Amino acid sequence: MTAINTGLPDPAPRKFPVTALATGFVILVCASLILVQGWVTWRAREVQLAETERATSNLARSIGQHAYDTIKGADTVLVGLVERLEVDGVTEPNLERLHSLLVKRVQELPQLHGLFVYDQDGRWIANSQATLNKNANNSDREYFIYHREHTNRGVHIGPPIKSKSTGEWIITVSRRFNNSDGSFAGVVLATINMSYFKTFYEQFDIGETGAIFVALTDGTILLRRPFEEKSLGRNIGQFPLFRDYLPNAKVGTQTFTSGQDGIVRINSYRQLDLYPLVVSAALSRDEVLKEWKSDAIVHAIGVGCLALGLALIGSRLIRQINLRVQAEAELLKARHSLENLNRTLEKLAMQDGLTGLANRRQFDIALKDEFSRAMRNASSLALIMIDVDCFKQYNDIYGHAAGDECLREISKVVAAGKHRPGDLSARYGGEELVILLPGTDVTGAMKVAENIRQAIYQLELKHTGNSAGVVTISAGIDAFVPVRENNHAIELIEAADKALYYAKSHGRNRVHAGNGEHKPV
């Protein structure tokens, strides 16, 4: 597509005020400072949370390994007992030897609270205690009922209970043993003292509101730190960990609100592979972020003070810039006013106050310049000299005010008689007017002068002191091509004045050229 040239200059690019640029710069610096600090602070928060998630994950791994090792040690003993009972039977000599073995195993494994053997009716037939209470019966216990009703031979971990023998809180790990025909023969039981877990968990720094727990996969709590008896055996299967997260991933870290105490914690959890246990280590998010919040507040105050200081300094600088801009604008305005005044004064100095035409001073300057130019260019220069006929009588009859108005009307016609930018109409003195016509010969000047004469005559300005009855003019013309060192500008004036004298002395209301030609009305 061809671009269209309109001939107009391209618009100048728009410039923004200095104060607007300075204001924008100050705002940009302050906003950048605040945004950078905000990003750094938020980034520090994310790093703190990420480190906490790694810490809780490692803690959950440690707790899970401890729970696995503890249960595994007890279960290994139970596996050996089941084999011994099913091979050797439950005869009296075998039970006596078994008692010694149970005592020895409890002494070897610190996590064990006790080892017990029950027959198919729940009666005590052997344990690790010094004296066997043959009248005791545990057929009502959850683990006994479970094995009696389930034929699987796997390990069973029951909910926390209080020991009948010592009254302490324990966790039960049990297995079923059978008769030779596969029927139910009884239960072997290992009890783990809850204090063993508590002692281990208390070694970890989890803050004031952190939490550690071990639970069965159905959500039954076996142990929790902080330790509360009311929470033991409580089922939390409907809480977010068991309801939302464990079904999707056996290992993970999530942040959610605890259903037990309403505290938002960062939870890392693990479900053990060989045993139906879930362990969790959780740290309070508010505690984790407490130090970060303190640092963030301090940094925010510092950055806020710095931004405020920059804003104050910037606003002061902007005010100074604004004052300077205003001062420069005032100076520029004053300069423009002075230039306009100078132009007005210069115009007044070069303009006739009555007629509005150029005055004698401007005419003398223009004549000198145009005469020199005509000399350089070898071009013709013409001069028309005009005089109002019988103007003294006009003033005597109508008054000087009317005479001034008459001159103004005549000057309008004279001014309209020139058509080129280089032409000059001037008041030469009194009622005498002149027209300077560069590049014009006598013929052209005659045409201009005659048009002016006729236009003034057609104004029909009443003049009873003139033979024509109206205001008329006489005009003298001369034109020549000046030659350097042979001609002077005064010669043109003298020639035109001489022609004017001839026109007035031969009847007025006529134009006469320097070569003697003239035209009457």
Side-chain angles (χ1 to χ4, degrees), residues 418-471:
K418 66 181 185 66
H419 301 288
R420 299 176 305 175
D423 297 345
L424 178 69
S425 302
R427 185 182 182 187
Y428 191 73
E431 69 274 16
E432 289 185 329
L433 308 176
V434 291
I435 302 176
L436 187 62
L437 300 171
T440 305
D441 56 13
V442 171
T443 302
M446 280 288 293
K447 185 176 180 180
V448 172
E450 183 60 26
N451 290 337
I452 291 174
R453 186 194 67 76
Q454 292 180 7
I456 292 173
Y457 183 83
Q458 291 172 2
L459 289 177
E460 296 183 353
L461 298 176
K462 186 177 180 181
H463 186 0
T464 59
N466 191 6
S467 60
V470 294
V471 174

Side-chain angles (χ1 to χ4, degrees), residues 351-370:
Q351 187 179 38
D352 180 65
L354 175 64
T355 63
L357 301 177
N359 60 14
R360 176 66 178 273
R361 179 185 177 190
Q362 185 176 357
F363 170 74
D364 290 341
I365 295 172
L367 176 62
K368 181 180 179 182
D369 293 341
E370 294 299 338

Side-chain angles (χ1 to χ4, degrees), residues 16 128 139 159 268 280 378 386 393 415 424 467 470 472 477 480 506 517:
F16 291 97
S128 58
S139 60
S268 288
S280 172
I386 300 171
Q393 289 84 347
L424 178 69
S467 60
V470 294
T472 60
I477 300 169
F480 62 87
H506 286 76
E517 296 180 358

Side-chain angles (χ1 to χ4, degrees), residues 85 89-92 94-96 98-99 102 116-127 132-134 136 177 185-188:
L85 289 169
V90 290
T91 60
E92 193 66 28
N94 288 338
L95 292 176
E96 290 181 0
L98 186 61
H99 175 262
L102 297 180
F116 303 85
V117 181
Y118 309 105
D119 64 12
Q120 69 270 20
D121 296 321
R123 294 189 298 266
W124 294 18
I125 58 176
N127 60 33
L132 178 64
N133 185 1
K134 294 184 178 182
F177 68 95
V187 174
V188 292

Side-chain angles (χ1 to χ4, degrees), residues 18 23 119 125 176 182 270 275 278 332 405 484 487 492 500 505 517:
V18 176
T23 302
D119 64 12
I125 58 176
R176 165 181 172 146
R270 302 179 72 85
Y275 298 105
V278 176
L332 186 61
E405 182 61 29
R484 188 179 301 277
N487 298 113
L492 186 61
L500 173 62
S505 63
E517 296 180 358

